[in-house]
């Protein structure tokens, strides 16, 4: 074969020689030549098949045009299409195996060839946690190239079908036209059916990879990154063949539920730690503070679905949506991303003279733009009297004690009243919402766990500041039957009272306890029994108002939660907000204590 890979020219020459040889086939030497020409033609077909397979990973118009012209000369356009689909199936299998094998061998750090003999499913279990995300990204990048080649193959045929139709309308060979139309119809139907088949193969390969590793040990940001990649891949499937990607959805749902149960349990333990170390002092946020200013809620400002790389979203002035295949058809890759990409925007929610966020959040805050409507007394509370500019952790306790409780209601103070723990809970809610926004099938589980965050916060504040055992002897000491019902429900479903230390307890009981968290204890730094501190009036006011603030944020988020909640589960959300579980009602009941 020539370096130019002129398959049509080679076949045309061979066919002409065969035609000439058939004229003189009565000569023995010519008969032998005809046999050799047939062998040569078969060799050309073999090379042509190899050339056909190359377009599966890197489609080239000129290359594919020559291949199709060659098959047409042979009268085997239908055979070529059958072979092409076999090559695409094989390309998907080889691609995923080689990508995963490369990472497994790299991480193994040796030249042992045992991994090459493993089945793909077993190979996926050897991917290390550190290499899991880069491997997944490369896997999707490689599969994208295969699907893009198929997409461009369909484009080629659509374009040439239109050209053939135009030529046929001007031609006179009716028999040839009918044969061409038959071939064209076969190819079109084959290509359309191939879309679903190829996407199904892609889903199954990625599913095997997803389920090959336990993701419950991943950090939150890393797990969200995995969801982002799969979300983008499902978008590709939607555009590729209109698929809802049920296989991918189910596999990532399994991983998500497993991950989220472990994640939520850890967060509840951390919340208990926050509550037990909370001194119930004001967190000095700006007067215009909104939870939308926190980076955990940035996704709510985006009108589109969350994707892997927001910065790569195409800017279009037209109303027509540009698909990924149109956007990246001439180059680039929608999975060309960095796993360590972070939102570089900084929050600006704390007052400039307030304390900076804890090291874990690592957020930088800008100077507070002075508000003329902030009372001078409140401004002075944020400044150390000795230096005048050294940040202090909170508003002074003496200032709080000197005020009446009504002075701190949310409609009379510019800045909302919340604590470090309140802010921590709000951030958790934002993270939970990120997850269910990306993966709506687990929205019910996530919202259920979100409600537990609020329930635990409410339960802690009541046990810290609201108990009055002298009222009644039912355990919670409540005079309000509605509040008693609410807190009894929380105690039964969420609080581990540690009453069962029996080693013979059933497995079911042990599992139920695993889903619960111990009741928190008030920090020893908070004194509620001294007249000098007005029996903890300042702390009681801050705690109660912070609960009101948290409840209002849940009410604000109701439309967003309703939008992602599956239709069959919406009654749960409606019940949460319309009946005794309504967060604002919780807070309003407790505010009167």
């Amino acid at each position: 074969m020539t370096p130019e890979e002129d398959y049509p020219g080679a076949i045309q020459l061979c066919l002409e020689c065969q035609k000439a040889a058939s004229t003189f086939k009565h000569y023995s030497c010519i008969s032998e030549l005809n046999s050799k020409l047939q062998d040569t033609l078969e060799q050309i077909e073999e090379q042509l098949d190899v050339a056909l397979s190359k377009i599966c990973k890197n489609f080239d118009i000129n290359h594919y045009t020559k291949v199709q012209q060659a098959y047409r000369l042979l009268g085997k356009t239908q055979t070529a299409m059958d072979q092409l689909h076999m090559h695409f199936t094989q390309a998907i299998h080889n691609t995923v195996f080689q990508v995963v094998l490369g990472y497994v061998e790299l991480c193994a750090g040796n030249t042992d060839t045992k991994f090459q003999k493993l089945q793909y499913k077993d190979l996926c279990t050897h991917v290390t946690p550190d290499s899991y995300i880069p491997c997944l990204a490369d896997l999707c990048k490689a599969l994208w190239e295969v699907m893009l080649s198929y997409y461009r193959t369909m484009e080629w045929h659509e374009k040439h079908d239109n050209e053939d139709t135009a030529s046929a309308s001007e031609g006179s060979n009716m028999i040839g036209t009918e044969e061409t139309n038959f071939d064209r119809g076969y190819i079109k139907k084959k290509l359309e059916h191939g879309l679903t088949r190829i996407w199904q193969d892609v889903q199954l390969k990625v599913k095997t990879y997803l389920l090959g590793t336990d993701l419950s040990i991943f950090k939150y940001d890393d797990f969200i990154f995995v969801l982002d990649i799969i979300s983008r891949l499902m978008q590709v499937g939607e555009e590729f063949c209109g698929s809802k990607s049920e296989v991918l959805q189910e596999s990532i749902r399994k991983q998500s539920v497993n991950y989220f149960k472990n994640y939520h349990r850890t967060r509840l333990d951390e919340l208990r730690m926050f509550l037990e170390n909370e001194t119930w002092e004001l967190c000095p946020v700006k007067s215009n503070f909104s939870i939308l200013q926190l980076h955990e809620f940035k996704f709510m400002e985006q009108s589109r679905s969350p994707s892997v790389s927001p910065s790569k979203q195409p800017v279009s002035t037209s109303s027509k949506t540009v698909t990924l295949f149109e956007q990246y058809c001439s180059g680039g890759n929608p999975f060309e991303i960095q796993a360590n990409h972070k939102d570089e925007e900084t929050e600006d929610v704390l007052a400039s003279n307030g304390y900076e966020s804890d090291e874990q959040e690592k957020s930088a805050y800008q100077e507070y733009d002075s508000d003329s409507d902030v009372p001078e007394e409140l401004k002075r509370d944020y400044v150390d009297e000795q230096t005048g500019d050294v940040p202090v952790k909170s508003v002074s306790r003496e200032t709080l004690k000197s005020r009446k409780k009504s002075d701190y209601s949310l409609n009379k103070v510019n800045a909302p009243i919340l604590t470090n723990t309140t802010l921590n809970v709000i951030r958790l809610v934002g993270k939970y919402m990120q997850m269910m926004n990306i993966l709506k099938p687990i929205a019910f589980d996530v919202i259920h766990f979100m409600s537990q965050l609020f329930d635990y916060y409410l339960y802690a504040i009541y046990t810290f500041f609201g108990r009055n055992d002298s009222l009644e002897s039912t355990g919670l000491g409540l005079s309000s039957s509605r509040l008693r019902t609410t807190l009894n429900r929380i105690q039964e479903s969420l609080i581990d009272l540690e009453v069962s230390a029996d080693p013979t307890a059933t497995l079911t009981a042990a599992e139920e306890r695993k889903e619960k968290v111990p009741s928190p204890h008030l920090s020893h730094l908070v004194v509620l029994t001294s007249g000098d501190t007005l029996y903890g009036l300042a702390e009681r006011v801050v705690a109660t108002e912070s609960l009101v603030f948290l409840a209002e944020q849940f009410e604000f988020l109701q439309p967003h939660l309703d939008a992602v909640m599956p239709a069959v589960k919406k009654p749960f959300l409606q019940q949460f907000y319309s009946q005794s579980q309504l967060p604002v009602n919780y807070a309003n009941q407790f505010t009167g204590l």
Side-chain angles (χ1 to χ4, degrees), residues 2 5 19 37 59-60 99 164 218 294 301 309 354 360 364 403 473 511 536 542 587:
T2 61
E5 297 184 336
K19 184 177 181 180
L37 286 173
F59 183 88
D60 180 85
V99 170
D164 290 343
F218 278 33
L294 300 174
E301 298 177 358
S309 181
Q360 183 180 7
R403 297 187 176 203
S473 59
E511 288 297 320
V542 171

Side-chain angles (χ1 to χ4, degrees), residues 234-253:
M234 288 191 288
Q235 181 184 349
V236 170
E238 176 75 27
E239 296 178 1
F240 189 68
C241 61
S243 171
K244 297 303 180 182
S245 306
E246 289 84 358
V247 173
L248 281 179
Q249 293 227 29
E250 178 58 23
S251 57
I252 200 64
R253 189 196 68 81

Side-chain angles (χ1 to χ4, degrees), residues 525-570:
L525 297 177
V526 180
V527 180
L528 303 179
T529 57
S530 173
D532 294 337
T533 62
L534 298 180
Y535 302 99
L537 173 62
E539 290 85 352
R540 294 175 190 271
V541 169
V542 171
T544 303
E545 293 289 6
S546 71
L547 180 63
V548 173
F549 176 78
L550 184 60
E552 290 179 341
Q553 306 319 303
F554 269 80
E555 188 171 336
F556 167 73
L557 294 172
Q558 181 179 0
H560 304 280
L561 300 179
D562 187 72
V564 296
M565 177 69 91
V568 295
K569 297 292 187 179
K570 284 186 184 293

Side-chain angles (χ1 to χ4, degrees), residues 261 264-269 272 449 452 456 488-500 508-519:
K261 283 184 177 180
H264 178 63
R265 172 66 213 199
T266 304
R267 300 292 81 76
L268 280 178
D269 288 336
R272 178 167 67 96
F449 290 141
Q452 288 188 343
Y456 194 65
N488 275 333
R489 177 189 58 78
I490 297 173
Q491 183 170 282
E492 292 173 4
S493 63
L494 186 60
I495 307 302
D496 182 3
L497 300 177
E498 299 181 342
V499 295
S500 176
T508 302
E511 288 297 320
E512 288 179 355
R513 289 196 62 196
K514 190 183 296 185
E515 301 294 328
K516 297 182 178 182
V517 60
S519 178

